[in-house]
Amino acid sequence: MDRSPVSDADVCVVGAGPAGGIVAHRLAESGASVVVLEAGPRFDGDRREQLEQHIRPGLGGPWEMGGPRDAFSSSGDSFYPLNAARVKGVGGSTLHWQGMVMRLHERDFELDSRHGVGADWPIGYDDLRPYYAAAERELGVAGAADNPYAPPREEPHPLPAFRPSHSDSIFAAACERLGIDMHSVGNARNSEPYDGRSSCVGYGTCKPVCPSGAKYTAESHVEKAEAAGARVIDRARVRRLDHDETGERVVAAAYTTPDGETHRQEATQFVLACGGVENVRLLLLSDSDRYPDGLANSSGAVGRYFMDHLFAGAGGRLDRPTRQNHVGFNTSECHQFYDDAEPVNGLKLEFLNYAGPSPVIDALHADTWGDDLRDQLDESYGTHISMGALVEQLPREDNYVGLDRATTDDLGDPVPEIHWSVDEQTEAALSRANGIQTRVLDELGIEDRWTVGPDETGPAYHHMGTTRMGDDPDESVVDAECRAHDLDNLWISGSSVFPTGGAMNPTLTIAALSVRLAESLRAALG
Amino acid sequence: MRLTRRDALAVLAGLGVTGGAVSLTRFDPPTAESTDERGDSSGEDGADGDDAPPTAVRETMVAAGEVVFPSAAEGVSEFVETYVVGRARDDARRDAMVDAATELDDVARDWEGAAFADLPAGDRDRLLRELGVDTADPVQDGTLSERLRFHVVNELLYAFYASPTGGRLVGIENPIGHPGGTESYRRATMDAPGELPDSGGEHDG
Ligand SMILES: Cc1cc2nc3c(=O)[nH]c(=O)nc-3n(C[C@H](O)[C@H](O)[C@H](O)COP(=O)(O)OP(=O)(O)OC[C@H]3O[C@@H](n4cnc5c(N)ncnc54)[C@H](O)[C@@H]3O)c2cc1C
Ligand code: SF4
């Protein structure tokens, strides 16, 4: 494949996940000449190979993450498993993602004014509201208007919600007695055929692969961008952005292709959409005399305020069938406690449809077969039930993404360093989530149970906050339009611009901001 | 419970292996029903086609299936044959499976003086365990026991437990890997297709 640069590009987008794909599609459709540079490959072909890779041990991971290209360091009190938390390829991390999508609440945009913690966004929920609706159409969200805690919306979701699962109905009775409200989950997954993709057929392997195409991946936006004339160059790793003499404009993205060649892609406008970790790495690698601490980093905020959502969970076994692992997604959640202030961190509860082991996966790992194995599977499958929760982590300067200059990747570039710790306030919120979960499990009469709380928690793989948005150039990296304060033609798309992360999965907000960014960028192109 | 060709075809379709010239695209996913229709005309061709593994290999795989499947399974021979022939459409898999099954048969002849398929089931089970296949990691190009685990035992266990009938035996009619639709997750039991909760109204106890 020809991986040489495009001449006369209006826009160069770096990264082909949802943040880059949506911007590229919108701009190409409006007539701009767009080139997308993507570090990873295109995963063409039949997704059922990846399905088998996921289910059968001994075949390697489906998305080829973790080699020398993806080296990283983790410092800080909590280990950050970066390569479980992202995918490099056309589609980005949505190749692997779960596909739960919901809007942030009003309070997420004004946490400082309301509660004196975190930061305010320079925009409010109302500014983003029409873009949320557009994002729901872009991703094809199945949902219902049955969530009394969701922020206001005028129009229905583009697709009907998935019906509640049998295990939701088990929870429903207990939750009703406890006054805990259950409602549907927004799913970027077709409940009916939509946008040229089939409806869900129940493979049950959504994360990490949906072989039917029912789960949204950003491949669809990349393909639409190409149909509208964009050029997409895969396996093109951008290693540096160069600016002009004034330091006010980016002039080129230097990228290396698999043959070892390095090219320079010039363009009028540049969009950085490499995800919350690699956005930072690229800016830091692009330091210069004018920007000794990294490109667009006069504020010193690049890489700071790294946030993720934390997982809390609890589960156990019932004395009757819970019907888990038929589908790989959830149908019910609870946002009732999201806006509470004690502790202030947002939290949402999930009712899992994939609690406990799947017989086929267990069988392939078992140390026996025949009737022994059948007995083992009879015992292990069928009666597990569990709840999850995501908990908000407030922005803290000392959680950061930096460069580990002592360690390099296969091209000789310093790898990203994730310095991440979970503070006491977040731990308190995790304990609170566990407390609610325990009440539900008590109500169900589950005595023997497991809990994932503050001591065992891990990240939900949502990288946020590292190139935060704000009005003050001394404290933030991009403005309310997602344009860098320091450079006129550098835009940043993705959750790295979130000043706070709430506790809702981020990608719908990423998509809404991307649609909005594309509009502003279109205007800047004239 | 009786395994059928349809079960094997459902698993193959889940893996993207379909009969004859029928190609299922990513946007036209298979269902158990469509698979059955398509498979019925094409699977037979496959069984007699050039890429079908030799009879001895098919017999060895069936004999292994009789050991690794639970004793309640019936119809093993037809099920395994259909699966093995379908799987052989992937050249690399076919060759590796043929090699592994042949090696297993060779070991049986050396150690027991009989073809693997001619040994009593108890001896087949013992032989596989003596080779360490039960505890070996599945590795495509590993040691003999690792290869037997990957290309013989796990191939068969996958076929069995990802099929609707095999799954049903341990409580799930729509196991992971089987595109069995979006009704089953809503049912209270395997056997009550009519019982779909409406809005979470069912009460426990
Ligand atoms: C297991 C898992 C489950 C998830 N579940 C959910 C969920 O249910 N709901 C939800 O909202 N979110 C979920 N997420 C998060 C979601 O996937 C991300 O929020 C989303 O993909 C981020 O979009 P992005 O475009 O900003 O970044 P990405 O999707 O990460 O895409 C960035 C792209 O940039 C490329 N890139 C990086 N560096 C360079 C470079 N130097 N040059 C060129 N290209 C580069 C990468 O290869 C990648 O393809 C999940 C993530 C994971 C890993
Ligand atoms: S259950 Fe998940 S993997 Fe299966 S078809 Fe539906 S979305 Fe895809």
Side-chain angles (χ1 to χ4, degrees):
Chain A
M1 164 183 178
D2 175 16
R3 292 190 167 85
S4 54
V6 171
S7 51
D8 297 328
D10 295 320
V11 185
C12 169
V13 178
V14 186
I22 290 173
V23 171
H25 170 230
R26 289 262 158 161
L27 288 166
E29 219 180 19
S30 78
S33 153
V34 177
V35 56
V36 181
L37 302 173
E38 165 54 50
R42 274 178 204 267
F43 291 98
D44 281 342
D46 200 320
R47 282 297 142 81
R48 285 169 287 208
E49 272 173 36
Q50 271 121 353
L51 168 95
E52 195 189 351
Q53 282 171 339
H54 165 56
I55 297 177
R56 284 192 61 173
L59 284 171
W63 307 117
E64 299 167 17
M65 285 301 295
R69 179 193 68 181
D70 308 317
F72 70 99
S73 310
S74 172
S75 52
D77 294 342
S78 311
F79 177 75
Y80 197 89
L82 183 59
N83 286 330
R86 59 180 184 171
V87 177
K88 291 183 181 172
V90 168
S93 302
T94 57
L95 292 166
H96 188 118
W97 77 327
Q98 174 68 258
M100 307 174 102
V101 281
M102 48 288 291
R103 301 180 181 197
L104 289 173
H105 284 196
E106 288 102 321
R107 57 79 88 175
D108 294 319
F109 297 89
E110 43 200 58
L111 217 50
D112 186 22
S113 331
R114 284 198 195 198
H115 300 292
V117 295
D120 284 352
W121 291 47
I123 54 174
Y125 175 73
D126 281 345
D127 296 310
L128 216 48
R129 187 167 161 172
Y131 297 100
Y132 268 129
E136 285 165 351
R137 288 191 295 274
E138 292 296 329
L139 270 51
V141 179
D146 63 339
N147 178 354
Y149 305 100
R153 51 181 304 129
E154 295 93 7
E155 61 305 283
H157 292 84
L159 289 162
F162 285 91
R163 307 297 295 279
S165 65
H166 172 67
S167 72
D168 288 348
S169 74
I170 296 174
F171 279 120
C175 285
E176 199 176 322
R177 290 195 292 272
L178 293 170
I180 294 174
D181 295 325
M182 292 172 68
H183 48 76
S184 62
V185 187
N187 267 302
R189 171 179 288 102
N190 291 353
S191 54
E192 293 173 351
Y194 184 79
D195 206 18
R197 295 180 288 118
S198 88
S199 54
C200 175
V201 294
Y203 270 102
T205 55
C206 313
K207 192 175 77 179
V209 57
C210 168
S212 80
K215 180 186 82 170
Y216 168 85
T217 76
E219 291 162 290
S220 62
H221 278 104
V222 175
E223 283 160 17
K224 285 189 222 176
E226 285 180 295
R231 169 105 187 281
V232 178
I233 306 179
D234 73 345
R235 299 180 198 265
R237 282 153 73 181
V238 177
R239 301 169 65 192
R240 194 180 162 82
L241 299 174
D242 288 330
H243 60 71
D244 65 3
E245 281 183 7
T246 67
E248 282 165 16
R249 293 186 73 79
V250 176
V251 290
Y255 63 94
T256 298
T257 51
D259 54 11
E261 294 281 312
T262 295
H263 304 273
R264 281 166 60 80
Q265 176 64 57
E266 298 180 355
T268 313
Q269 302 283 339
F270 288 82
V271 181
L272 198 52
C274 301
V277 171
E278 297 289 342
N279 277 350
V280 173
R281 183 190 189 202
L282 188 48
L283 291 173
L284 297 181
L285 286 174
S286 305
D287 58 351
S288 65
D289 288 347
R290 169 77 175 75
Y291 296 104
D293 299 326
L295 191 69
N297 195 18
S298 317
S299 63
V302 167
R304 298 270 163 205
Y305 308 108
F306 175 68
M307 299 172 279
D308 204 319
H309 296 132
L310 281 311
F311 180 80
R317 301 191 71 167
L318 281 176
D319 53 2
R320 63 211 144 109
T322 58
R323 312 279 293 154
Q324 302 294 298
N325 286 312
H326 290 242
V327 290
F329 60 92
N330 295 328
T331 37
S332 291
E333 285 202 330
C334 169
H335 297 175
Q336 184 173 350
F337 307 96
Y338 193 88
D339 293 342
D340 293 357
E342 262 319 306
V344 69
N345 310 52
L347 79 85
K348 68 145 175 162
L349 300 167
E350 299 165 347
F351 300 89
L352 306 189
N353 287 331
Y354 38 84
S358 144
V360 59
I361 292 177
D362 259 15
L364 298 173
H365 287 91
D367 279 354
T368 189
W369 48 61
D371 286 340
D372 274 359
L373 175 59
R374 182 199 164 164
D375 291 346
Q376 205 169 297
L377 299 177
D378 265 343
E379 153 54 27
S380 68
Y381 177 73
T383 56
H384 290 266
I385 196 157
S386 68
M387 292 178 70
L390 290 192
V391 163
E392 172 170 27
Q393 180 173 40
L394 295 171
R396 289 163 54 111
E397 208 178 345
D398 52 357
N399 280 331
Y400 64 81
V401 175
L403 290 182
D404 173 2
R405 295 197 182 268
T407 313
T408 48
D409 67 11
D410 54 335
L411 294 180
D413 293 326
V415 304
E417 173 200 351
I418 320 291
H419 186 94
W420 186 62
S421 305
V422 181
D423 58 285
E424 280 176 14
Q425 195 177 346
T426 308
E427 288 177 356
L430 288 160
S431 297
R432 177 156 190 257
N434 283 154
I436 303 167
Q437 292 164 338
T438 302
R439 279 167 57 209
V440 177
L441 297 183
D442 280 348
E443 188 66 30
L444 284 172
I446 298 175
E447 280 164 20
D448 190 12
R449 59 175 163 248
W450 55 263
T451 310
V452 173
D455 295 337
E456 313 85 10
T457 186
Y461 306 153
H462 305 152
H463 318 137
M464 299 172 291
T466 49
T467 63
R468 55 175 17 195
M469 165 199 281
D471 289 328
D472 183 351
D474 290 335
E475 296 201 335
S476 56
V477 180
V478 298
D479 65 16
E481 311 301 314
C482 300
R483 191 201 306 232
H485 291 300
D486 289 344
L487 293 116
D488 278 353
N489 66 341
L490 178 63
W491 308 73
I492 301 185
S493 187
S495 48
S496 61
V497 306
F498 293 8
T500 59
M504 299 296 181
N505 309 55
T507 308
L508 189 70
T509 306
I510 293 175
L513 287 171
S514 302
V515 172
R516 188 163 171 274
L517 184 162
E519 227 172 73
S520 309
L521 203 162
R522 179 69 256 176
L525 277 174
Chain B
M1 39 61 87
R2 175 160 282 282
L3 293 160
T4 60
R5 266 170 47 74
R6 182 185 163 129
D7 278 305
L9 291 166
V11 182
L12 289 167
L15 288 170
V17 182
T18 54
V22 178
S23 95
L24 296 172
T25 70
R26 191 174 155 220
F27 302 129
D28 178 23
T31 61
E33 284 70 28
S34 63
T35 304
D36 194 37
E37 264 172 43
R38 287 163 178 158
D40 269 352
S41 55
S42 51
E44 298 297 350
D45 301 346
D48 300 323
D50 290 343
D51 55 3
T55 310
V57 166
R58 279 148 52 188
E59 285 172 1
T60 303
M61 292 299 282
V62 169
E66 285 164 358
V67 168
V68 301
F69 296 168
S71 55
E74 293 165 32
V76 171
S77 161
E78 193 182 38
F79 173 80
V80 172
E81 289 250 357
T82 308
Y83 181 79
V84 165
V85 167
R87 210 69 178 100
R89 297 227 161 92
D90 174 340
D91 289 343
R93 277 294 170 74
R94 174 188 188 281
D95 294 348
M97 190 197 292
V98 167
D99 288 351
T102 306
E103 282 180 90
L104 176 60
D105 196 38
D106 288 349
V107 174
R109 288 173 196 273
D110 275 359
W111 291 11
E112 311 283 337
F116 183 76
D118 292 339
L119 293 175
D123 291 356
R124 281 177 254 155
D125 182 82
R126 179 179 45 76
L127 182 64
L128 284 167
R129 290 182 199 269
E130 278 172 9
L131 284 166
V133 181
D134 49 348
T135 53
D137 286 338
V139 182
Q140 291 201 69
D141 52 0
T143 62
L144 176 62
S145 47
E146 289 169 341
R147 278 181 285 123
L148 290 176
R149 177 74 198 205
F150 188 96
H151 296 290
V152 177
V153 171
N154 271 12
E155 200 68 75
L156 291 164
L157 290 177
Y158 183 88
F160 186 80
Y161 286 107
S163 79
T165 300
R168 189 175 275 274
L169 191 70
V170 288
I172 179 165
E173 71 278 32
N174 182 19
I176 279 180
H178 173 59
T182 51
E183 288 283 294
S184 68
Y185 80 91
R186 298 173 49 208
R187 287 188 197 131
T189 65
M190 282 198 296
D191 303 314
E195 269 181 53
L196 298 177
D198 216 27
S199 54
E202 195 204 85
H203 290 265
D204 63 323

